[in-house]
């Protein structure tokens, strides 16, 4: 197997933070010896999450077995997911903003046609629905646990308690037509054919679209972790991956 040097487009802050969490984990469970020190394990995990490197590639690059890579990654993801901020924490941050933007994104998965609960009619592919909350500048504030892709955005937001939390906190939220009927603090554009809307309604929808467009930056931030662009693993573990990525993003960008 050939090996070559590579790089990860992350700050050293993410590496230090993950190393500290892994060291605390090893100290807690009383680990005496590992093939890799915490710094190398952290680097391996970041290469997997950020670059999408496979287990085989990482095993060759770090000089360990594939089973070891598997254990290292699962350990780190579980540690990071456990400390991901809950929705309540996101609401505390959101209160300091003029408003927030809510949108849903689909994380593609490798499923076949019979897996209907995971098929999104909107995106015409199988995937997991993740709700994203962004601030007025399009910065990622929070990402929800993953649900089957067939769920409509407004239903997913209700299941996560997002709409109720925003309304209770009195936070103005902008969202697209997929959230029609959400009510509360969620503002959506006027429905109907463009030529049938009044001049005032058209002006409101134009302004609404400009504001909502900023959420795409938050979605792009989430998917800059290349592993999330095409998930080839059990759907039961995808929420942990999303929460781990959220933790690392907030840590390295804070």
């Amino acid at each position: 197997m050939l090996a070559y040097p590579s790089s990860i487009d992350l700050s050293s802050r993410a590496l230090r933070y993950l190393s500290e969490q892994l060291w605390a984990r090893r100290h807690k469970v009383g680990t005496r010896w590992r093939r890799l020190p915490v710094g190398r394990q952290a680097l391996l995990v970041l290469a997997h999450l950020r670059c999408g490197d496979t287990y085989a590639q990482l095993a060759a690059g770090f000089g360990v077995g594939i089973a070891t890579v598997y254990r290292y990654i699962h350990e780190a993801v579980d540690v990071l997911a456990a400390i991901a901020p809950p929705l309540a924490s996101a609401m505390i941050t959101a209160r300091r903003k003029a408003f927030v933007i809510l949108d849903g994104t689909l994380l593609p998965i490798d499923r076949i046609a019979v897996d209907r609960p995971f098929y999104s009619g909107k995106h015409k592919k199988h995937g997991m629905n993740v709700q994203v909350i962004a601030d007025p500048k399009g910065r990622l504030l929070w990402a929800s646990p993953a649900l089957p892709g067939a769920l409509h955005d407004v239903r997913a937001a209700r299941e996560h308690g997002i709409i109720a939390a925003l309304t209770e906190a009195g936070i103005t939220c902008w969202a697209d037509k997929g959230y029609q009927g959400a009510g509360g603090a969620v503002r959506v554009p006027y429905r109907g054919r463009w030529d049938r809307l009044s001049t005032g309604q058209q002006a409101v929808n134009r302004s609404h679209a400009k504001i909502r467009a900023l959420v795409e930056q938050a979605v792009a931030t989430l998917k800059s972790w290349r592993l999330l662009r095409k998930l080839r693993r059990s759907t039961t573990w995808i929420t942990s991956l999303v929460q781990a990525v959220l933790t690392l993003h907030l840590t390295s960008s804070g």
Side-chain angles (χ1 to χ4, degrees):
M1 172 105 36
L2 298 175
Y4 62 92
S6 186
S7 62
I8 306 175
D9 56 339
L10 287 173
S11 71
S12 59
R13 185 183 303 176
L15 180 64
R16 289 195 303 270
Y17 179 79
L18 181 52
S19 297
E20 290 169 358
Q21 297 304 318
L22 291 174
W23 183 89
R25 164 69 178 174
R26 292 188 185 189
H27 181 72
K28 180 179 179 181
V29 301
T31 300
R32 295 184 178 181
W33 181 85
R34 293 281 188 94
R35 288 291 303 274
L36 296 180
V38 290
R40 294 289 286 173
Q41 181 184 355
L43 187 62
L44 181 153
V45 173
L46 292 177
H48 180 63
L49 296 177
R50 187 69 173 185
C51 305
D53 291 351
T54 65
Y55 291 170
Q57 290 171 326
L58 294 169
F62 286 83
V64 295
I66 292 178
T68 300
V69 171
Y70 174 87
R71 289 195 302 271
Y72 279 176
I73 290 174
H74 274 252
E75 178 184 46
V77 168
D78 288 343
V79 167
L80 291 169
I83 54 180
L87 179 60
S89 296
M91 292 299 101
I92 293 174
T93 303
R95 286 193 186 100
R96 299 195 293 267
K97 310 295 181 180
F99 60 87
V100 296
I101 314 168
L102 173 64
D103 197 11
T105 187
L106 189 80
L107 302 182
I109 59 175
D110 57 343
R111 287 296 183 273
I112 58 178
V114 294
D115 293 317
R116 299 302 299 177
F118 301 100
Y119 185 78
S120 168
K122 175 182 177 181
H123 298 276
K124 309 299 182 186
K125 64 177 68 172
H126 292 81
M128 301 295 287
N129 180 299
V130 173
Q131 297 293 299
V132 173
I133 298 178
D135 72 4
K137 294 185 178 180
R139 292 174 297 204
L140 178 63
L141 294 180
W142 186 76
S144 74
L147 292 174
L151 258 65
H152 199 274
D153 279 339
V154 68
R155 181 180 171 187
R158 286 196 177 110
E159 288 203 17
H160 292 306
I162 298 172
I163 297 172
L166 289 168
T167 303
E168 182 179 351
I171 301 168
T172 301
C173 173
W174 301 80
D176 62 22
K177 293 179 181 179
Y179 296 88
Q180 288 284 349
V186 180
R187 297 182 179 180
V188 296
Y190 288 104
R191 295 186 66 179
R193 290 167 54 100
W194 183 259
D195 56 359
R196 294 183 179 178
L197 297 177
S198 68
T199 302
Q201 290 174 329
Q202 291 178 356
V204 168
N205 280 9
R206 286 194 195 96
S207 298
H208 199 285
K210 289 179 181 179
I211 294 172
R212 283 190 298 104
L214 295 172
V215 77
E216 295 302 325
Q217 296 179 29
V219 173
T221 295
L222 190 64
K223 293 186 177 180
S224 65
W225 299 78
R226 296 173 185 83
L227 186 70
L228 299 183
R229 296 180 186 177
K230 182 66 173 181
L231 291 157
R232 296 177 175 86
R233 58 194 64 243
S234 169
T235 56
T236 59
W237 201 52
I238 292 177
T239 286
S240 294
L241 285 173
V242 173
Q243 298 301 291
V245 164
L246 177 63
T247 299
L248 286 170
H249 167 72
L250 295 177
T251 300
S252 59
S253 62

